Amino acid sequence: MEPEMEDKTLELMNISVMDSQTADRSPKITVIKPTFICPQVSNGPLTGSRKRPSEGNYEKEKDVCIQLFDQWSEADQVEFVEHLISRMCHYQHGHINSYLKPMLQRDFITALPAQGLDHIAENILSFLDARSLCSAELVCKEWQRVISEGMLWKKLIERMVRTDPLWKGLSERHQWEKYLFKNRTTEVPPNSYYRSLYPKIIQDIETIEANWRCGRHNLQRIQCRSENSKGVYCLQYDDEKIISGLRDNSIKIWDKQTLECLKILTGHTGSVLCLQYDERVIVTGSSDSTVRVWDVNSGEVLNTLIHHNEAVLHLRFCNGLMVTCSKDRSIAVWDMASPTDISLRRVLVGHRAAVNVVDFDDKYIVSASGDRTIKVWSTSTCEFVRTLNGHKRGIACLQYRDRLVVSGSSDNTIRLWDIECGACLRVLEGHEELVRCIRFDNKRIVSGAYDGKIKVWDLQAALDPRAPASTLCLRTLVEHSGRVFRLQFDEFQIISSSHDDTILIWDFLNVSTNGQTEGRSPSRTYTYISR
């Protein structure tokens, strides 16, 4: 920019500004309300910024300035405007700011498809939650089109199904999973289907949560009668089957839909006290002191491990590692190369009474004993780490996940522990006899005891030291007529077994409300009589 030309322009600008300020030294402040959604912006003069008609030679001088300004390069224009703005007062800066704000706004969701970048607009909006996605649909027709053609309600539901077990379970049980995770070339319903499906899913979830809180459930009962003895000591289930270990030395496999007995596995010479299965094998522990490995499909015995001197009370296996514990006070750590190739790695000794339960992950092995203690061991080295003290009597059950350990004891209490520091975070009281089994997920703790009761506790409230003790137990379920030995649960159901020789399925999803009393549900009973 030529120095003489810039000086002349500035001089002309200053004359106009001085004339305006001299004529009106007390300008009124005008508040300009910002526009919410991308208004149409004009490149004309600042509307409303002048309070009265211009005087003197303003129009002529302005035209000269614009002509000179148009001749400069963009860099020179920017430099000149910076000089000009620096000479203005705060009030003028405010006017300029109000003028520039809408010019700087960009409706990128509308602009991107115009550039052939629909996929970027869709990807940006795909990160919205349901409430924000509803709002985005109301912005304008173009936003609504991007959401509809991008099938963003479908993508939102798919994201929830991938990350939330409750959503995944509902998708499988209500059959809308078949409309998910398919590309656009496959026949799928329109976006409107998923748009209307979402609130229905939310309603289902709210109903399930209310059923848990109020104890509303549909009850199914399996009678496992045998001739010599009764009692179901352990169980595990999936969508197709329930596998149970019984006091009569047998393992019974039940069809989860029809509740009929599909198969009976025999071989143990003592009660089956613990079991776990995966897609290949069932591993069982017995009062006959042995651990047996069975083919889950054929029921054939693949391996028998003879190590413990007394009853095998509990076991866990995962990713090639198995841990068993026994009434002989020891813990055995095994390497599982295959069902037929299982070797003893290490024996952990330290408890002074029967070791009733074990659990582990990649970091820690956790064991609990009748000696009132919980011991923590390193999974990789099998070295002792620490002891958790607090229970007044022997410990019958526990579960360990992440940093949290939840244990149940014959002192009738449940304790929550931080495994890293060994601190007891909370004591739950309510059971009247020994707490025999316990499980927890991200929301709830479910416990079963020798008082025949199953209690549902609010886990998040239990972890909050400010929560009153009276608010922690959400519901008490009473249907068993004997001691509750074992239970497992998921988002939709609890399955429990008892000394009364029954397996109960407490269904919180498929609940009929016709004529029901809260907390009690009509039940159907299936009886299996061994011959």
Side-chain angles (χ1 to χ4, degrees), residues 47 186 235 238 327 394 483 487:
T47 305
T186 310
L235 63 83
D238 55 40
K327 191 178 179 182
R483 297 171 171 179
L487 64 79

Side-chain angles (χ1 to χ4, degrees), residues 217-222 237 242 254-257 259 480 492-497 502-508 522-524:
H217 59 274
N218 181 54
L219 189 69
Q220 295 175 288
R221 187 187 308 264
I222 301 175
Y237 71 88
I242 302 170
W254 311 85
D255 186 299
K256 192 166 180 294
Q257 304 306 316
L259 305 187
H480 282 295
F492 309 103
Q493 63 198 331
I494 300 170
I495 300 186
S496 60
S497 65
T502 66
I503 298 171
L504 298 187
I505 303 172
W506 315 70
D507 186 350
F508 297 93
S523 62
R524 53 191 179 109

Side-chain angles (χ1 to χ4, degrees), residues 374 389-391 404-408 411 413-418 422-429 438 445 457-473:
I374 297 170
N389 289 298
H391 279 295
L404 184 63
V405 175
V406 180
S407 59
D411 63 13
T413 70
I414 297 163
R415 287 180 179 254
L416 283 65
W417 311 81
D418 184 327
C424 180
L425 306 175
R426 173 75 81 161
V427 180
L428 305 179
E429 297 179 307
I438 199 154
I445 301 169
W457 311 81
D458 187 330
L459 174 60
Q460 296 307 316
L463 292 172
D464 182 355
R466 299 167 297 178
S470 59
T471 65
L472 303 182
C473 184

Side-chain angles (χ1 to χ4, degrees), residues 281-518:
V281 296
I282 308 169
V283 183
T284 57
S286 168
S287 60
D288 65 11
S289 307
T290 68
V291 174
R292 288 180 180 254
V293 183
W294 316 72
D295 185 290
V296 73
N297 295 312
S298 68
E300 175 190 0
V301 177
L302 303 176
N303 204 340
T304 301
L305 306 177
I306 302 174
H307 164 76
H308 289 291
N309 299 320
E310 295 190 64
V312 180
L313 301 179
H314 200 252
L315 64 84
R316 297 290 296 164
F317 70 87
C318 183
N319 297 328
L321 184 70
M322 180 168 67
V323 181
T324 61
C325 62
S326 170
K327 191 178 179 182
D328 65 13
R329 307 182 185 182
S330 73
I331 302 159
V333 182
W334 308 78
D335 289 309
M336 299 180 69
S338 72
T340 56
D341 183 7
I342 302 174
S343 58
L344 183 65
R345 178 196 295 185
R346 187 81 174 265
V347 177
L348 309 181
V349 178
H351 283 293
R352 294 172 296 158
V355 185
N356 294 317
V357 59
V358 289
D359 204 353
F360 73 93
D361 63 8
D362 292 338
K363 189 172 185 180
Y364 294 125
I365 297 170
V366 186
S367 59
S369 167
D371 64 10
R372 310 180 185 183
T373 68
I374 297 170
K375 291 190 180 294
V376 182
W377 319 74
S378 168
T379 303
S380 57
T381 66
C382 294
E383 296 299 321
F384 172 74
V385 177
R386 67 178 57 88
T387 299
L388 310 182
N389 289 298
H391 279 295
K392 303 296 189 295
R393 300 184 67 180
I395 302 164
C397 56
L398 68 71
Q399 183 185 348
Y400 157 55
R401 191 179 70 189
D402 299 327
R403 289 185 62 136
L404 184 63
V405 175
V406 180
S407 59
S409 165
S410 56
D411 63 13
N412 304 348
T413 70
I414 297 163
R415 287 180 179 254
L416 283 65
W417 311 81
D418 184 327
I419 196 171
E420 296 294 348
C421 66
C424 180
L425 306 175
R426 173 75 81 161
V427 180
L428 305 179
E429 297 179 307
H431 281 294
E432 298 164 6
E433 294 186 47
L434 179 150
V435 181
R436 181 65 175 80
C437 50
I438 199 154
R439 304 296 295 172
F440 70 88
D441 62 8
N442 294 328
K443 299 177 185 177
R444 306 176 184 91
I445 301 169
V446 182
S447 59
Y450 277 6
D451 58 14
K453 297 174 183 177
I454 293 173
K455 288 184 178 288
V456 181
W457 311 81
D458 187 330
L459 174 60
Q460 296 307 316
L463 292 172
D464 182 355
R466 299 167 297 178
S470 59
T471 65
L472 303 182
C473 184
L474 301 175
R475 211 73 195 173
T476 300
L477 306 174
V478 184
E479 288 287 350
H480 282 295
S481 59
R483 297 171 171 179
V484 180
F485 284 143
R486 194 60 53 92
L487 64 79
Q488 288 191 340
F489 77 98
D490 56 41
E491 292 79 8
F492 309 103
Q493 63 198 331
I494 300 170
I495 300 186
S496 60
S497 65
S498 169
H499 189 271
D500 64 15
D501 217 35
T502 66
I503 298 171
L504 298 187
I505 303 172
W506 315 70
D507 186 350
F508 297 93
L509 174 62
N510 304 300
V511 177
S512 171
T513 57
N514 297 329
Q516 276 192 36
T517 303
E518 188 176 276

Side-chain angles (χ1 to χ4, degrees), residues 5-16 61 65:
M5 190 177 297
E6 180 182 0
D7 292 343
K8 182 177 179 182
T9 307
L10 285 171
E11 182 181 350
L12 290 171
M13 291 289 191
N14 283 333
I15 292 171
S16 297
E61 293 165 349
C65 290

Side-chain angles (χ1 to χ4, degrees), residues 20-30 51-52 89 91:
S20 174
Q21 290 178 348
T22 303
D24 187 355
R25 295 184 180 276
S26 303
K28 297 178 182 177
I29 297 176
T30 303
K51 304 297 184 298
R52 55 180 175 72
C89 66
Y91 160 68

Side-chain angles (χ1 to χ4, degrees), residues 114-293:
Q115 302 295 321
L117 301 173
D118 300 64
H119 62 287
I120 297 179
E122 292 170 8
N123 191 48
I124 292 169
L125 293 181
S126 70
F127 289 95
L128 297 179
D129 59 21
R131 185 181 297 275
S132 302
L133 200 57
C134 285
S135 299
E137 286 181 318
L138 302 176
V139 170
C140 62
K141 289 183 177 179
E142 182 61 19
W143 283 46
Q144 188 180 40
R145 183 195 67 79
V146 171
I147 291 169
S148 177
E149 294 185 4
M151 302 291 284
L152 297 192
W153 283 102
K154 173 175 176 284
K155 291 179 180 177
L156 175 60
I157 294 173
E158 289 173 343
R159 187 168 79 235
M160 297 302 296
V161 169
R162 278 193 299 265
T163 57
D164 191 319
L166 181 53
W167 283 71
K168 180 172 176 56
L170 281 173
S171 72
E172 295 168 351
R173 286 163 172 78
H174 287 177
Q175 304 294 308
W176 40 266
E177 184 187 37
K178 60 187 176 183
Y179 299 119
L180 303 178
F181 306 107
K182 295 181 179 179
N183 57 38
R184 298 186 187 187
T185 60
T186 310
E187 282 192 21
V188 294
N191 185 67
S192 58
Y193 167 80
Y194 302 97
R195 177 68 175 79
S196 60
L197 175 63
Y198 190 93
K200 294 176 183 176
I201 299 171
I202 296 300
Q203 182 60 51
D204 286 342
I205 291 172
E206 290 175 350
T207 300
I208 293 168
E209 294 297 325
N211 290 341
W212 276 95
R213 286 193 304 272
C214 299
R216 289 190 295 264
H217 59 274
N218 181 54
L219 189 69
Q220 295 175 288
R221 187 187 308 264
I222 301 175
Q223 295 282 2
C224 308
R225 294 196 184 102
S226 57
E227 295 178 358
N228 300 321
S229 58
K230 66 177 183 177
V232 185
Y233 282 130
C234 53
L235 63 83
Q236 185 183 335
Y237 71 88
D238 55 40
D239 289 340
E240 285 78 39
K241 61 185 175 295
I242 302 170
I243 300 183
S244 59
L246 280 75
R247 188 181 178 187
D248 68 4
N249 309 348
S250 69
I251 298 134
K252 291 180 180 176
I253 303 175
W254 311 85
D255 186 299
K256 192 166 180 294
Q257 304 306 316
T258 66
L259 305 187
E260 295 177 351
C261 185
L262 302 175
K263 193 175 297 183
I264 301 176
L265 310 183
T266 58
H268 279 296
T269 57
S271 300
V272 181
L273 304 178
C274 54
L275 67 81
Q276 184 184 341
Y277 71 85
D278 61 13
E279 66 280 357
R280 296 188 304 161
V281 296
I282 308 169
V283 183
T284 57
S286 168
S287 60
D288 65 11
S289 307
T290 68
V291 174
R292 288 180 180 254
V293 183

